[in-house]
Amino acid sequence: MSGIGDHGPSLARPALRQPRLQAVIFDVDGTLADTERDGHRPAFNEAFLRHGLDVAWDAEEYGRLLQITGGRRRVATYLGERGYGPEAEDLAVRVHQTKTALFRERVVTGGFTTRPGVPELVADLRRAGIRIAVATTGRRAWAEPLVTQLLGPDVVEVLVTGEMVPRLKPDPAAYRLVLQELGLRADEALAVEDSAIGLRSVTAAGLATIVVTNDYTAGQDFAGAAAVRAGFDGPEPLSAQRCRAVHDSWWTRREEGMGPAPT
Ligand code: XBP
Ligand code: MG
């Protein structure tokens, strides 16, 4: 509003520098919610049963299988290694369709909650004007309702899911697509991931990562991460200000050590 004493923008005033961090991109499984051990795993097991397969993944074995990203690939690789031969791929497609329907059902009936501290962080980011996006290797059929349920409607601006990219994490395709849809450079966004595979995907796309570990991923190799934490909450909860500080210092170190950041 203009009035007495308001002389409009002064030429002498230095231009306000736009803060570098414009968006935070969250992974879903293991990051926004603990969905793997007691979520995806029982859905896979129920699907095996419904397809007459004598397969049941226990929590430990499932932890090892998480190295294979994407549910269909995980099933196909497993069946292939157990002698299902050329049949494994087709069977995996059918088992995975059933698993996707079962897991979606669990999602829409309210089966999951966020990891502690996530709602507070997301609210703080929004107050700070930082945009929210999501990059997952999972299927849209469950990821979309899950993200809406966890974070609320109209919070996530861009949601990239497994079927939208030619290659899953650790390939950078998902993060590159999110950046493209947000219209941002790699140095204007920060990713939050839970696993070494997720970190590799983000790093290959040129972004900084805060890793928030869980029971499955604690102890993995997180070299190159901007920060590694055991949770979102605690005595020093992850906040918008903390995200900005971590992001700025990662880029400063990078620019000082390796020249200008890539665009
Ligand atoms: C998560 C995954 C997913 C889920 C299953 O990886 O690997 O495959 O386990 O989802 P990230 P789908 O957290 O790195 O995205 O069965 O829908 O593939
Ligand atoms: Mg994950």
Side-chain angles (χ1 to χ4, degrees):
M1 192 170 84
S2 82
I4 296 166
D6 179 356
H7 305 291
S10 155
L11 287 177
R13 203 178 293 159
L16 274 179
R17 204 167 70 88
Q18 171 124 312
R20 192 174 206 174
L21 182 63
Q22 299 292 312
V24 171
I25 308 167
F26 289 93
D27 168 51
V28 179
D29 291 310
T31 301
L32 289 179
D34 268 320
T35 45
E36 294 289 11
R37 193 187 57 196
D38 301 320
H40 289 292
R41 186 180 66 88
F44 282 114
N45 286 341
E46 177 63 23
F48 289 133
L49 205 63
R50 291 194 186 188
H51 287 267
L53 295 168
D54 183 22
V55 177
W57 289 339
D58 66 24
E60 206 183 323
E61 178 156 47
Y62 189 69
R64 286 192 295 274
L65 289 164
L66 285 174
Q67 294 308 308
I68 308 158
T69 52
R72 188 193 52 71
R73 286 182 64 234
R74 190 170 300 146
V75 174
T77 307
Y78 181 89
L79 295 178
E81 283 170 358
R82 264 145 200 82
Y84 281 82
E87 214 201 325
E89 283 291 338
D90 283 352
L91 197 49
V93 169
R94 294 199 300 277
V95 168
H96 190 243
Q97 274 167 358
T98 304
K99 178 264 166 182
T100 300
L102 289 165
F103 189 73
R104 180 187 154 87
E105 186 56 28
R106 168 96 184 267
V107 166
V108 298
T109 51
F112 297 99
T113 50
T114 51
R115 289 183 67 182
V118 167
E120 292 81 356
L121 169 60
V122 169
D124 198 36
L125 291 170
R126 297 184 80 204
R127 274 193 299 274
I130 296 172
R131 300 159 72 191
I132 312 287
V134 165
T136 174
T137 61
R139 296 294 166 125
R140 200 161 195 94
W142 61 259
E144 195 164 35
L146 179 61
V147 162
T148 304
Q149 200 179 92
L150 295 176
L151 303 185
D154 305 321
V155 171
V156 172
E157 206 177 308
V158 171
L159 165 63
V160 166
T161 54
E163 56 272 82
M164 295 169 73
V165 288
R167 286 168 305 280
L168 303 181
K169 299 174 190 175
D171 190 275
Y175 280 97
R176 286 192 178 138
L177 184 55
V178 174
L179 286 178
Q180 189 184 317
E181 299 218 341
L182 288 170
L184 295 177
R185 296 189 312 256
D187 70 325
E188 293 174 315
L190 170 75
V192 182
E193 275 280 357
D194 68 307
S195 68
I197 287 178
L199 171 64
R200 279 167 60 199
S201 167
V202 181
T203 306
L207 290 78
T209 310
I210 294 181
V211 176
V212 186
T213 61
N214 55 44
D215 287 350
Y216 270 139
T217 65
Q220 293 182 351
D221 179 6
F222 297 121
V228 181
R229 325 169 32 106
F232 291 88
D233 57 352
E236 285 185 35
L238 191 55
S239 61
Q241 192 187 20
R242 187 91 208 115
C243 286
R244 280 203 196 284
V246 167
H247 181 256
D248 277 344
S249 90
W250 192 81
W251 278 97
T252 304
R253 282 200 311 273
R254 196 181 159 92
E255 284 161 355
E256 282 171 356
M258 299 162 63
T263 53

PDB file of all heavy atoms in Angstrom, residues 240-253:
ATOM      1  N   ALA A 240      12.765 -25.537   8.982  1.00  0.00           N
ATOM      2  CA  ALA A 240      13.066 -24.848   7.723  1.00  0.00           C
ATOM      3  C   ALA A 240      14.419 -24.139   7.830  1.00  0.00           C
ATOM      4  O   ALA A 240      15.245 -24.178   6.897  1.00  0.00           O
ATOM      5  CB  ALA A 240      11.959 -23.840   7.414  1.00  0.00           C
ATOM      6  N   GLN A 241      14.647 -23.517   8.969  1.00  0.00           N
ATOM      7  CA  GLN A 241      15.910 -22.785   9.167  1.00  0.00           C
ATOM      8  C   GLN A 241      17.109 -23.748   9.092  1.00  0.00           C
ATOM      9  O   GLN A 241      18.132 -23.444   8.474  1.00  0.00           O
ATOM     10  CB  GLN A 241      15.867 -22.103  10.529  1.00  0.00           C
ATOM     11  CG  GLN A 241      16.960 -21.095  10.728  1.00  0.00           C
ATOM     12  CD  GLN A 241      16.979 -20.568  12.153  1.00  0.00           C
ATOM     13  OE1 GLN A 241      16.433 -21.191  13.070  1.00  0.00           O
ATOM     14  NE2 GLN A 241      17.607 -19.433  12.345  1.00  0.00           N
ATOM     15  N   ARG A 242      16.951 -24.919   9.715  1.00  0.00           N
ATOM     16  CA  ARG A 242      18.023 -25.921   9.695  1.00  0.00           C
ATOM     17  C   ARG A 242      18.255 -26.411   8.257  1.00  0.00           C
ATOM     18  O   ARG A 242      19.390 -26.591   7.827  1.00  0.00           O
ATOM     19  CB  ARG A 242      17.588 -27.079  10.615  1.00  0.00           C
ATOM     20  CG  ARG A 242      18.599 -28.116  10.855  1.00  0.00           C
ATOM     21  CD  ARG A 242      19.457 -27.837  12.097  1.00  0.00           C
ATOM     22  NE  ARG A 242      20.755 -28.461  11.912  1.00  0.00           N
ATOM     23  CZ  ARG A 242      21.900 -27.805  11.809  1.00  0.00           C
ATOM     24  NH1 ARG A 242      21.950 -26.490  11.928  1.00  0.00           N
ATOM     25  NH2 ARG A 242      23.021 -28.441  11.604  1.00  0.00           N
ATOM     26  N   CYS A 243      17.165 -26.628   7.520  1.00  0.00           N
ATOM     27  CA  CYS A 243      17.298 -27.067   6.116  1.00  0.00           C
ATOM     28  C   CYS A 243      18.073 -26.021   5.319  1.00  0.00           C
ATOM     29  O   CYS A 243      18.973 -26.357   4.541  1.00  0.00           O
ATOM     30  CB  CYS A 243      15.921 -27.273   5.471  1.00  0.00           C
ATOM     31  SG  CYS A 243      15.070 -28.759   6.027  1.00  0.00           S
ATOM     32  N   ARG A 244      17.722 -24.742   5.509  1.00  0.00           N
ATOM     33  CA  ARG A 244      18.431 -23.679   4.789  1.00  0.00           C
ATOM     34  C   ARG A 244      19.916 -23.662   5.146  1.00  0.00           C
ATOM     35  O   ARG A 244      20.770 -23.523   4.273  1.00  0.00           O
ATOM     36  CB  ARG A 244      17.827 -22.308   5.159  1.00  0.00           C
ATOM     37  CG  ARG A 244      16.547 -21.969   4.418  1.00  0.00           C
ATOM     38  CD  ARG A 244      16.356 -20.444   4.395  1.00  0.00           C
ATOM     39  NE  ARG A 244      14.996 -20.082   4.049  1.00  0.00           N
ATOM     40  CZ  ARG A 244      14.496 -20.142   2.812  1.00  0.00           C
ATOM     41  NH1 ARG A 244      15.234 -20.566   1.822  1.00  0.00           N
ATOM     42  NH2 ARG A 244      13.248 -19.772   2.585  1.00  0.00           N
ATOM     43  N   ALA A 245      20.204 -23.813   6.448  1.00  0.00           N
ATOM     44  CA  ALA A 245      21.601 -23.750   6.898  1.00  0.00           C
ATOM     45  C   ALA A 245      22.409 -24.914   6.327  1.00  0.00           C
ATOM     46  O   ALA A 245      23.524 -24.728   5.811  1.00  0.00           O
ATOM     47  CB  ALA A 245      21.647 -23.758   8.428  1.00  0.00           C
ATOM     48  N   VAL A 246      21.842 -26.115   6.393  1.00  0.00           N
ATOM     49  CA  VAL A 246      22.541 -27.308   5.884  1.00  0.00           C
ATOM     50  C   VAL A 246      22.756 -27.188   4.377  1.00  0.00           C
ATOM     51  O   VAL A 246      23.837 -27.479   3.850  1.00  0.00           O
ATOM     52  CB  VAL A 246      21.719 -28.580   6.228  1.00  0.00           C
ATOM     53  CG1 VAL A 246      22.219 -29.788   5.460  1.00  0.00           C
ATOM     54  CG2 VAL A 246      21.757 -28.859   7.732  1.00  0.00           C
ATOM     55  N   HIS A 247      21.735 -26.746   3.695  1.00  0.00           N
ATOM     56  CA  HIS A 247      21.788 -26.590   2.237  1.00  0.00           C
ATOM     57  C   HIS A 247      22.850 -25.562   1.842  1.00  0.00           C
ATOM     58  O   HIS A 247      23.697 -25.814   0.980  1.00  0.00           O
ATOM     59  CB  HIS A 247      20.386 -26.158   1.771  1.00  0.00           C
ATOM     60  CG  HIS A 247      20.254 -25.966   0.299  1.00  0.00           C
ATOM     61  ND1 HIS A 247      20.212 -24.723  -0.287  1.00  0.00           N
ATOM     62  CD2 HIS A 247      20.165 -26.853  -0.724  1.00  0.00           C
ATOM     63  CE1 HIS A 247      20.101 -24.871  -1.596  1.00  0.00           C
ATOM     64  NE2 HIS A 247      20.056 -26.142  -1.886  1.00  0.00           N
ATOM     65  N   ASP A 248      22.816 -24.404   2.508  1.00  0.00           N
ATOM     66  CA  ASP A 248      23.800 -23.340   2.209  1.00  0.00           C
ATOM     67  C   ASP A 248      25.219 -23.832   2.449  1.00  0.00           C
ATOM     68  O   ASP A 248      26.110 -23.595   1.638  1.00  0.00           O
ATOM     69  CB  ASP A 248      23.551 -22.106   3.086  1.00  0.00           C
ATOM     70  CG  ASP A 248      22.467 -21.218   2.491  1.00  0.00           C
ATOM     71  OD1 ASP A 248      22.150 -21.392   1.299  1.00  0.00           O
ATOM     72  OD2 ASP A 248      21.932 -20.366   3.230  1.00  0.00           O
ATOM     73  N   SER A 249      25.428 -24.515   3.582  1.00  0.00           N
ATOM     74  CA  SER A 249      26.815 -24.874   3.884  1.00  0.00           C
ATOM     75  C   SER A 249      27.298 -25.978   2.941  1.00  0.00           C
ATOM     76  O   SER A 249      28.468 -25.991   2.544  1.00  0.00           O
ATOM     77  CB  SER A 249      26.999 -25.213   5.367  1.00  0.00           C
ATOM     78  OG  SER A 249      26.804 -26.557   5.601  1.00  0.00           O
ATOM     79  N   TRP A 250      26.411 -26.899   2.526  1.00  0.00           N
ATOM     80  CA  TRP A 250      26.813 -27.948   1.563  1.00  0.00           C
ATOM     81  C   TRP A 250      27.231 -27.309   0.252  1.00  0.00           C
ATOM     82  O   TRP A 250      28.258 -27.656  -0.325  1.00  0.00           O
ATOM     83  CB  TRP A 250      25.648 -28.921   1.329  1.00  0.00           C
ATOM     84  CG  TRP A 250      26.020 -30.182   0.596  1.00  0.00           C
ATOM     85  CD1 TRP A 250      26.601 -31.292   1.128  1.00  0.00           C
ATOM     86  CD2 TRP A 250      25.831 -30.465  -0.796  1.00  0.00           C
ATOM     87  NE1 TRP A 250      26.770 -32.258   0.159  1.00  0.00           N
ATOM     88  CE2 TRP A 250      26.306 -31.783  -1.032  1.00  0.00           C
ATOM     89  CE3 TRP A 250      25.291 -29.752  -1.874  1.00  0.00           C
ATOM     90  CZ2 TRP A 250      26.264 -32.392  -2.289  1.00  0.00           C
ATOM     91  CZ3 TRP A 250      25.251 -30.358  -3.120  1.00  0.00           C
ATOM     92  CH2 TRP A 250      25.734 -31.658  -3.324  1.00  0.00           C
ATOM     93  N   TRP A 251      26.459 -26.311  -0.210  1.00  0.00           N
ATOM     94  CA  TRP A 251      26.792 -25.674  -1.494  1.00  0.00           C
ATOM     95  C   TRP A 251      28.033 -24.792  -1.383  1.00  0.00           C
ATOM     96  O   TRP A 251      28.832 -24.709  -2.310  1.00  0.00           O
ATOM     97  CB  TRP A 251      25.583 -24.904  -2.037  1.00  0.00           C
ATOM     98  CG  TRP A 251      24.673 -25.863  -2.737  1.00  0.00           C
ATOM     99  CD1 TRP A 251      23.556 -26.460  -2.223  1.00  0.00           C
ATOM    100  CD2 TRP A 251      24.865 -26.416  -4.047  1.00  0.00           C
ATOM    101  NE1 TRP A 251      23.033 -27.341  -3.134  1.00  0.00           N
ATOM    102  CE2 TRP A 251      23.800 -27.333  -4.256  1.00  0.00           C
ATOM    103  CE3 TRP A 251      25.800 -26.239  -5.054  1.00  0.00           C
ATOM    104  CZ2 TRP A 251      23.669 -28.065  -5.446  1.00  0.00           C
ATOM    105  CZ3 TRP A 251      25.665 -26.962  -6.236  1.00  0.00           C
ATOM    106  CH2 TRP A 251      24.609 -27.858  -6.419  1.00  0.00           C
ATOM    107  N   THR A 252      28.202 -24.151  -0.219  1.00  0.00           N
ATOM    108  CA  THR A 252      29.399 -23.318  -0.033  1.00  0.00           C
ATOM    109  C   THR A 252      30.647 -24.197  -0.075  1.00  0.00           C
ATOM    110  O   THR A 252      31.616 -23.896  -0.775  1.00  0.00           O
ATOM    111  CB  THR A 252      29.310 -22.550   1.310  1.00  0.00           C
ATOM    112  OG1 THR A 252      28.107 -21.807   1.291  1.00  0.00           O
ATOM    113  CG2 THR A 252      30.491 -21.621   1.507  1.00  0.00           C
ATOM    114  N   ARG A 253      30.586 -25.323   0.673  1.00  0.00           N
ATOM    115  CA  ARG A 253      31.741 -26.250   0.680  1.00  0.00           C
ATOM    116  C   ARG A 253      32.019 -26.745  -0.737  1.00  0.00           C
ATOM    117  O   ARG A 253      33.157 -26.823  -1.181  1.00  0.00           O
ATOM    118  CB  ARG A 253      31.448 -27.462   1.584  1.00  0.00           C
ATOM    119  CG  ARG A 253      31.603 -27.186   3.053  1.00  0.00           C
ATOM    120  CD  ARG A 253      31.782 -28.480   3.857  1.00  0.00           C
ATOM    121  NE  ARG A 253      30.808 -29.504   3.546  1.00  0.00           N
ATOM    122  CZ  ARG A 253      29.612 -29.615   4.117  1.00  0.00           C
ATOM    123  NH1 ARG A 253      29.247 -28.734   5.035  1.00  0.00           N
ATOM    124  NH2 ARG A 253      28.788 -30.586   3.784  1.00  0.00           N
TER     125      ARG A 253
END
